[in-house]
């Protein structure tokens, strides 16, 4: 009974808070937002962020700093607010004082702009000790109101057609049409490069990524997902502890939201079969192109917060604000402990050499059934699309009995090299830039290493995507690492595995990792044949080889008899011999990056 009374009181308290904000905002308050002034019908343009950033620093000079950490392709300043009462207004100072840093980011998809208005609301309340009292005495909050700023200024009424409010909002992608929420690992965009520099400067313990879902209609109003929970190297004890901390972090926030009247979910509510609720859900771990998958590889928390697009804007902002306040409270209560665990994970990650490391994850076929708060719906053939379509009646709540597959296990794994990775001099310049952005330790070799025992990866199968993705023609490889002696030139890069970001290093350089540089097409030239033997020359070469080598002749005859595709292809038949000629390119399908078992002097 006591817990029930507390829950009811919490709901009333938060309802009163937001009603006052919507209906009783002082329009002359220099810290009020367009959203508050309009009763959360509209949201402001980016000039409001610039104004508020300066206004908060002026209003709270001892607790807030307004900084510019980058510039967008269209020349707009990327602004962040640093809020703390610890005096740690630099990353160096925060590390010296052992103070946890929390980074809250809104508007990576600028149509999903709840995080901007909710973040300002939460910040105002925390600074005035109306919520999360004393939280800023124990942490540094970095608030980035809008990440995708150029997209934010592509303002329009129907930029999110399957979302209720605000009246106008920004666009999903950047001015260069990049989806920033696919760019953490590859770091193509000026915006992400600026964000990574900010992250390196501050090393946040937790990175909170605020979104709004797409998808079906149902009663649940928010989803909260955290890693590390499922993921993490099982051979590293501290990472297992960090996973447990991740579970505690997620469940505490979900608990707070539940007390405040929400119906939170611990997974993204996307159906296995699009538009078919009966197909249920599959949970998983995002790859490092996404924030939660990326921060996992840095031994830090990544939290994805997704309010439900069919709730009105005032409701979504209120619930997002509640999530931000809960996160601030959790970091205040446990941040020092979790920071120590994360640093233990860093130390153990630096001793990863020879360990088996998961590069991706997937759910097994193990199924459980949950009660899901949906609405009555029908599925009928549409005369418009010619397909079976779902129609929801959101006036009639209904409990759905749905399957969930959330037994998430490692999928692709690799054994960490004993020494590290070698990037040849030909690729050193662009790779060095990427490594610097990620804060990865590396060095340039100042003298050659001749006939060094290495591991090289030759692709047995190369599959190019049929269309581009984020401006890249992505690539999938199959093959294995094998011992081989090769020369290493001066100017090549050595990336040691013995460093805190060893999981990130492997995610970028293991050729079968889903977000490696090679998977994103950065080495596609290595898998393109550039030199050819004329057909009439290949004919002569073939006859010479057949006459000189009876075993080869027998193998050719056998392949003709057993492989119809080979027998019917003139190119394949001539290539059979061209590959055995001295002119054949031995580097074709050879991944340029090598693994080394020792640390070069």
């Amino acid at each position: 009974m006591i817990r029930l009374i507390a829950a009811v009181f919490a709901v009333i308290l938060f309802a009163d808070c937001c009603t006052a904000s919507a209906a009783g905002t002082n329009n002359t308050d220099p810290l009020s937002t367009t959203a508050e002034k309009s009763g959360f019908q509209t949201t402001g343009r980016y000039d409001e962020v610039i104004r508020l950033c300066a206004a908060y620093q002026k209003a709270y000079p001892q607790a807030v700093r307004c900084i510019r950490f980058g510039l967008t392709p269209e020349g707009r300043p990327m602004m962040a607010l640093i809020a703390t009462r610890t005096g740690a207004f630099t990353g160096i100072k925060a590390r010296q004082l052992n103070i946890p840093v929390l980074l809250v980011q809104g508007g990576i998809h600028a149509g999903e702009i709840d995080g901007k208005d909710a973040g300002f609301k939460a910040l105002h309340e925390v600074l005035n000790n109306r919520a999360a009292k004393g939280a800023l005495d124990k942490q540094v909050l970095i608030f980035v109101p809008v990440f995708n700023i150029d997209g934010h200024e592509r303002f329009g009424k129907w930029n999110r057609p399957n979302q209720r409010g605000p009246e106008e909002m920004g666009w999903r992608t950047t001015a260069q049409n990049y989806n920033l929420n696919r760019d953490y690992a590859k770091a193509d965009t000026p915006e992400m490069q600026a964000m990574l520099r900010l992250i390196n400067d501050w090393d946040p313990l937790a990175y909170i990524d605020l979104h709004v879902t797409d998808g079906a209609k149902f009663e649940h109003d928010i989803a909260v997902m955290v890693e590390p929970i499922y993921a993490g190297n099982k051979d590293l004890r501290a990472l297992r502890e960090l996973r447990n901390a991740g579970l505690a972090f997620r469940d505490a926030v979900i608990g707070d939201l539940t007390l405040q009247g929400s119906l939170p979910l611990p997974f993204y509510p996307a159906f296995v079969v699009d538009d078919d609720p009966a197909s249920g859900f599959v949970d998983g771990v995002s790859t490092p192109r996404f924030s939660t998958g990326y921060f996992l590889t840095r031994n830090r928390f990544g939290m994805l917060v997704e309010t439900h697009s069919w709730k009105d804007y005032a409701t979504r902002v209120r619930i997002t604000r509640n999530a931000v306040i809960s996160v601030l409270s959790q970091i205040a209560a446990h941040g020092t402990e979790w920071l120590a665990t994360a640093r233990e994970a860093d130390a153990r990650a630096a001793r990863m050499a020879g360990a088996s490391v998961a590069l991706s994850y997937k759910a097994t076929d193990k199924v459980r059934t949950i009660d899901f708060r949906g609405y009555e719906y029908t599925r009928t053939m549409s005369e418009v699309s010619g397909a079976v379509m779902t129609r929801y009646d959101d006036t009639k709540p209904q409990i759905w009995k749905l399957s969930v597959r959330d037994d998430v296990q490692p999928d692709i794994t690799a054994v960490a090299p004993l020494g590290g990775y070698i990037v040849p001099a030909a690729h050193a310049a662009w790779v060095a830039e990427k490594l610097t952005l990620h804060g990865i330790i590396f060095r340039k070799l100042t003298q050659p290493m001749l006939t060094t025992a290495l591991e090289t990866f030759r692709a047995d199968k190369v599959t190019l995507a049929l269309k581009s993705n984020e401006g890249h023609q992505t690539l999938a490889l199959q093959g294995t690492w094998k011992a081989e002696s090769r020369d290493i030139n001066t100017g090549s890069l050595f990336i040691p595995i013995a460093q805190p970001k060893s999981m990130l290093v492997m995610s970028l350089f293991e050729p079968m990792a889903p977000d490696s540089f090679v998977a994103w097409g950065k080495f596609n030239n290595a898998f393109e044949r550039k030199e050819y033997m004329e057909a009439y020359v290949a004919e002569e070469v073939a006859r010479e080889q057949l006459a000189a080598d009876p075993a080869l002749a027998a193998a050719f005859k056998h392949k003709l008899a057993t492989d119809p595709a080979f027998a019917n292809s003139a190119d394949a038949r001539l290539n059979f011999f061209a590959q055995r000629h001295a002119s054949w390119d031995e580097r074709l399908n050879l991944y340029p990056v090598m693994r080394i078992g020792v640390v070069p002097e």
Side-chain angles (χ1 to χ4, degrees):
M1 179 62 71
I2 293 174
R3 293 182 65 185
L4 177 60
I5 293 171
V8 172
F9 178 76
V11 172
I12 293 172
L13 176 64
F14 278 83
D16 287 347
C17 164
C18 291
T19 300
S21 177
T25 299
N26 179 0
N27 287 347
T28 63
D29 182 354
L31 302 183
S32 65
T33 62
T34 297
E36 290 173 306
K37 293 173 184 176
S38 69
F40 295 95
Q41 298 302 303
T42 62
T43 189
R45 300 296 291 266
Y46 191 67
D47 58 359
E48 178 177 73
V49 171
I50 298 173
R51 176 184 65 78
L52 286 172
C53 192
Y56 267 94
Q57 178 170 306
K58 182 178 180 181
Y60 301 95
Q62 302 303 313
V64 177
R65 297 289 185 274
C66 175
I67 66 167
R68 190 182 91 167
F69 66 95
L71 201 66
T72 72
E74 290 189 337
R76 296 184 175 92
M78 301 181 70
M79 308 304 294
L81 293 92
I82 314 298
T84 186
R85 290 196 169 93
T86 67
F89 286 104
T90 67
I92 293 173
K93 189 70 171 179
R95 286 188 285 277
Q96 289 174 344
L97 298 177
N98 200 39
I99 295 170
V101 177
L102 168 67
L103 197 157
V104 176
Q105 165 236 289
I108 190 171
H109 292 152
E112 306 167 28
I113 203 56
D114 306 17
K116 176 189 66 175
D117 291 320
F120 276 122
K121 180 172 175 54
L123 178 62
H124 201 182
E125 293 175 5
V126 172
L127 285 166
N128 288 333
N129 276 324
R130 296 204 305 268
K133 292 182 179 180
L136 293 180
D137 297 334
K138 299 179 180 179
Q139 66 192 297
V140 176
L141 167 65
I142 303 174
F143 175 42
V144 178
V146 182
F147 188 6
N148 175 16
I149 297 162
D150 291 343
H152 184 279
E153 293 305 277
R154 187 178 168 181
F155 229 53
K157 287 189 175 182
W158 293 105
N159 287 348
R160 291 273 291 170
N162 52 321
Q163 176 178 301
R164 288 178 176 160
E167 291 177 1
E168 294 181 288
M169 70 284 288
W171 190 253
R172 183 178 184 84
T173 56
T174 70
Q176 298 172 325
N177 208 34
Y178 280 105
N179 185 342
L180 287 177
N181 199 35
R182 305 294 185 272
D183 199 33
Y184 284 90
K186 58 185 176 64
D188 283 334
T189 62
E191 294 95 332
M192 185 59 72
Q193 291 164 13
M195 178 63 78
L196 291 175
R197 285 189 284 268
L198 182 69
I199 290 164
N200 289 334
D201 286 345
W202 284 93
D203 188 20
L205 171 66
Y207 185 95
I208 315 302
D209 194 358
L210 303 175
H211 287 252
V212 182
T213 65
D214 294 305
K217 291 185 178 181
F218 42 73
E219 287 194 284
H220 295 278
D221 49 19
I222 190 170
V224 177
M225 295 136 284
V226 173
E227 287 298 340
I229 288 179
Y230 295 127
N233 190 329
K234 292 183 178 180
D235 294 329
L236 300 178
R237 176 174 171 269
L239 281 180
R240 288 204 298 271
E241 292 173 1
L242 189 57
R243 288 171 66 201
N244 292 337
L247 186 62
F249 187 19
R250 184 197 71 185
D251 288 353
V253 173
I254 284 178
D256 286 346
L257 291 168
T258 302
L259 284 175
Q260 293 158 18
S262 281
L263 297 170
L265 294 166
F267 57 83
Y268 190 93
F271 301 131
V272 175
V273 177
D274 187 45
D275 196 44
D276 184 1
S279 64
F281 305 104
V282 175
D283 207 355
V285 176
S286 296
T287 61
R289 71 185 65 180
F290 302 96
S291 61
T292 49
Y294 179 74
F295 280 89
L296 161 70
T297 68
R298 295 178 70 120
N299 310 317
R300 300 295 184 267
F301 294 120
M303 176 183 284
L304 176 63
V305 176
E306 295 267 2
T307 53
H308 186 38
S309 61
W310 290 111
K311 308 303 176 187
D312 62 75
Y313 192 56
T315 299
R316 298 201 316 269
V317 170
R318 172 176 57 82
I319 295 169
T320 304
R321 171 265 180 206
N322 293 348
V324 172
I325 293 297
S326 177
V327 167
L328 280 160
S329 299
Q330 291 303 315
I331 298 297
H334 305 289
T336 302
E337 171 194 349
W338 290 345
L339 182 58
T341 303
R343 287 174 176 166
E344 290 171 13
D346 287 345
R348 293 182 182 275
R351 300 193 293 272
M352 187 184 285
S356 178
V357 178
L359 303 173
S360 67
Y361 296 80
K362 68 177 181 180
T364 68
D365 292 333
K366 186 176 179 180
V367 175
R368 65 185 181 94
T369 301
I370 63 169
D371 290 339
F372 191 84
R373 299 275 292 268
Y375 298 111
E376 288 188 12
Y377 67 91
T378 59
R379 283 180 54 77
T380 57
M381 185 66 70
S382 167
E383 68 278 8
V384 176
S385 65
V388 175
M389 300 295 292
T390 303
R391 294 175 176 84
Y392 298 94
D393 184 347
D394 57 9
T395 66
K396 297 178 180 178
Q398 185 180 69
I399 300 296
W400 299 341
K401 298 284 186 180
L402 296 184
S403 64
V404 177
R405 289 167 46 207
D406 57 2
D407 178 35
V408 180
Q409 300 294 334
D411 182 21
I412 299 171
T413 61
V415 175
L418 295 178
Y421 296 88
I422 297 289
V423 174
H427 295 278
W430 73 262
V431 171
E433 290 178 0
K434 297 289 187 182
L435 297 179
T436 301
L437 286 168
H438 289 295
I440 289 172
I441 297 167
F442 69 96
R443 61 185 169 90
K444 184 177 288 188
L445 300 181
T446 58
Q447 57 185 359
M449 298 174 63
L450 303 178
T451 62
T452 302
L454 303 163
E455 287 181 291
T456 59
F457 185 97
R458 290 182 183 272
D460 301 324
K461 184 177 180 181
V462 178
T463 305
L464 288 162
L466 297 180
K467 61 179 183 179
S468 69
N469 181 11
E470 290 292 294
H472 297 260
Q473 186 179 24
T474 56
L475 181 72
L477 300 179
Q478 293 181 18
T480 55
W481 291 101
K482 295 179 181 177
E484 185 175 350
S485 292
R486 301 188 75 86
D487 295 342
I488 300 174
N489 295 329
T490 301
S492 297
L493 303 182
F494 170 64
I495 303 98
I497 200 66
Q499 61 176 298
K501 297 186 182 73
S502 55
M503 279 199 295
L504 178 56
V505 170
M506 293 187 69
S507 295
L508 296 176
F509 288 111
E510 281 298 317
M512 296 174 69
D515 282 329
S516 62
F517 291 136
V518 69
W520 276 107
K522 295 294 289 184
F523 292 102
N524 277 7
N525 266 350
F527 306 96
E528 299 172 2
R529 188 177 173 187
K530 304 292 187 177
E531 186 61 85
Y532 295 86
M533 183 181 289
E534 296 288 351
Y536 71 89
V537 176
E539 282 275 351
E540 295 175 3
V541 167
R543 296 182 189 282
E544 291 172 359
Q545 291 180 358
L546 287 169
D549 189 343
L552 178 64
F556 179 62
K557 183 177 180 180
H558 176 75
K559 195 165 181 64
L560 288 173
T562 59
D563 187 343
F566 175 79
N568 293 323
S569 170
D571 287 341
R573 290 167 69 152
L574 290 177
N575 277 338
F576 179 88
F577 300 99
Q579 291 177 46
R580 291 161 171 80
H581 191 264
S583 64
W584 183 259
D585 181 8
E586 64 90 18
R587 295 186 185 181
L588 179 63
N589 291 341
L590 175 67
Y591 175 41
V593 176
M594 297 163 279
R595 292 159 49 117
I596 188 168
V598 297
V599 176
E601 294 182 2

